[in-house]
């Protein structure tokens, strides 16, 4: 019994050591991946094409021309994305980032009244269109980040969309995809719950929810198998127990008397 308790303590310490080691390795990998993502993102931003080629057509205000150019740049990025290669996906990200800047510029033109001939109703309509276009662009960026397996940036893009539109189904779905890929089953389940509250019959969301649940069950099962195997290795086998000479055996030493026999041999008791 004492041997079993000591082996259990050793196993518990070893399991704590393994868990701590895995946690440290995971943190180091995440830090390295984050540094690599930031370097890649900054490199793409340095190669971003300029957004100063806005030319207003005859009878068109600079505000409307900027929004039109944002739509054109969005389509250029979509064509690059549809080509499918990783290189073109990265170029599409940079192009969509340019379109986002054009949308932001459009809103600032309306906000600070850069066009004095622009009416308030027209300005409000253009601002609403720019906001809608920004949401679409961020969702496109999220899809590109999924293709590049940059799941943290994907979650960030989806959060920007959901901050202004909590009923955006694509935003919840792509966020859940990224979180599931990161192994964050809890947040992925919350995102899927929010999506299914909006569309209970969404087939893609239901399938992803089943996959997340199955991955959780598999991890729990793997952990239990590892625990059982580790404990089995810690326990002595039957052959080892049989090879050791027991008390009173021919090859063993004299049996150690029980505490009761010590007391019976005590001179004080005999007195």
């Amino acid at each position: 019994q004492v041997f079993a308790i000591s082996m259990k303590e050793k196993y518990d310490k070893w399991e704590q050591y393994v868990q701590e080691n895995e946690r440290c390795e995971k943190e180091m990998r995440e830090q390295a991946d984050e540094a690599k993502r930031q370097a890649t993102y900054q490199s793409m931003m340095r190669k971003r094409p300029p957004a100063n080629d806005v030319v207003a057509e005859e009878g068109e205000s600079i505000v409307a021309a900027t929004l039109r150019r944002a739509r054109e740049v969005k389509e250029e990025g979509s064509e690059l994305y549809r080509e499918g290669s990783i290189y073109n996906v990265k170029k599409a990200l940079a192009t969509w980032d340019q379109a986002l800047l054009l949308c932001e510029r459009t809103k600032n033109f309306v906000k600070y009244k850069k066009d004095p001939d622009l009416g308030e109703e027209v300005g409000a309509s253009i601002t609403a269109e720019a906001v809608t276009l920004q949401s679409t662009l961020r969702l496109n960026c999220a899809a590109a980040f999924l293709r590049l397996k940059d799941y943290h940036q994907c979650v960030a893009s989806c959060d920007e969309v959901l901050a202004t539109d909590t009923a955006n189904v694509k935003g919840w779905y792509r966020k859940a995809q990224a979180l599931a890929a990161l192994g964050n089953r809890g947040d992925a389940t919350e995102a899927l719950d929010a999506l299914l509250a909006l569309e209970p019959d969404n087939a893609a969301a239901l399938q992803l929810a089943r996959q997340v649940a199955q991955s959780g069950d598999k991890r729990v099962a793997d952990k239990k198998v590892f625990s059982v195997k580790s404990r089995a290795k810690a326990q002595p086998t039957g052959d080892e127990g049989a090879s050791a000479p027991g008390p009173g055996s021919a090859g063993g030493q004299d049996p150690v008397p029980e505490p009761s026999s010590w007391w019976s041999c005590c001179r004080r008791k005999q007195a």
Side-chain angles (χ1 to χ4, degrees):
Q1 184 179 1
V2 175
F3 175 77
I5 293 174
S6 63
M7 291 304 299
K8 182 179 182 302
E9 292 176 352
K10 290 181 179 180
Y11 168 74
D12 291 339
K13 291 181 180 179
W14 173 253
E15 190 173 16
Q16 292 175 3
Y17 168 77
V18 170
Q19 292 176 355
E20 183 66 18
N21 191 33
E22 290 178 351
R23 185 185 64 80
C24 293
E25 290 180 353
K26 183 178 179 182
E27 289 181 357
M28 292 175 64
R29 286 195 301 268
E30 289 178 352
Q31 291 175 1
D33 293 342
E34 182 65 23
K36 186 177 179 180
R37 281 192 297 270
Q38 292 297 332
T40 303
Y41 185 74
Q42 294 298 329
S43 176
M44 288 191 300
M45 292 304 100
R46 285 193 295 271
K47 298 177 181 178
R48 184 176 57 202
N52 299 322
D53 55 347
V54 178
V55 179
E57 297 178 354
E58 186 177 356
E60 185 182 31
S61 66
I62 188 62
V63 180
T66 305
L67 183 60
R68 173 180 55 79
R69 181 57 185 156
R71 295 195 192 97
E72 293 174 355
V73 174
K74 169 187 170 293
E75 292 302 322
E76 293 173 6
S78 299
E79 291 178 3
L80 289 168
Y81 181 81
R82 283 192 288 268
E83 291 182 7
S85 66
I86 298 299
Y87 176 75
N88 284 327
V89 170
K90 292 180 178 180
K91 288 180 66 176
L93 269 174
T95 306
W96 285 330
D97 186 75
Q98 179 191 14
L100 284 168
L101 290 177
L102 288 168
C103 291
E104 195 65 29
R105 181 181 297 180
T106 301
K107 294 193 297 182
N108 289 334
F109 281 166
V110 175
K111 181 179 179 180
Y112 297 108
K113 299 181 180 180
K114 294 296 183 180
D115 188 353
D117 297 332
L118 191 68
E120 291 185 1
E121 293 183 359
V122 177
S125 175
I126 290 176
T127 300
E129 291 181 17
V131 170
T132 303
L133 184 57
Q134 278 183 316
S135 296
T136 304
L137 288 165
R138 289 191 176 106
L139 287 174
N140 290 349
C141 290
F145 284 129
L146 279 175
R147 287 284 303 276
L148 297 174
K149 297 183 179 180
D150 194 348
Y151 302 119
H152 291 282
Q153 291 289 348
C154 177
V155 173
S157 297
C158 293
D159 285 339
E160 289 180 347
V161 175
L162 296 171
T164 57
D165 183 11
T166 56
N168 194 296
V169 174
K170 286 186 178 180
W172 286 116
Y173 181 70
R174 288 174 185 171
K175 180 179 180 179
Q177 283 182 302
L179 291 169
L182 289 170
N184 193 340
R185 295 185 295 109
D187 291 342
T189 303
E190 291 181 2
L192 288 169
D193 289 342
L195 191 159
L196 293 172
L198 298 170
E199 292 187 4
D201 299 328
N202 191 303
L206 291 172
Q207 182 179 1
L208 181 59
R210 287 192 292 269
Q211 292 175 357
V212 171
Q214 290 173 0
S215 66
D217 295 340
K218 184 177 182 301
R219 290 186 180 184
V220 172
D222 291 343
K223 187 175 180 181
K224 288 182 178 179
V225 170
F226 172 77
S227 178
V228 170
K229 288 182 178 179
S230 300
R231 291 181 182 275
K233 290 180 180 179
Q235 296 296 332
T237 60
D239 295 338
E240 293 176 355
S243 62
S249 61
Q253 299 178 357
D254 294 335
V256 179
E258 295 295 330
S260 58
S261 63
W262 297 347
W263 179 246
S264 61
C265 297
C266 182
R267 294 180 179 178
R268 287 179 290 178
K269 181 181 180 184
Q270 292 176 359

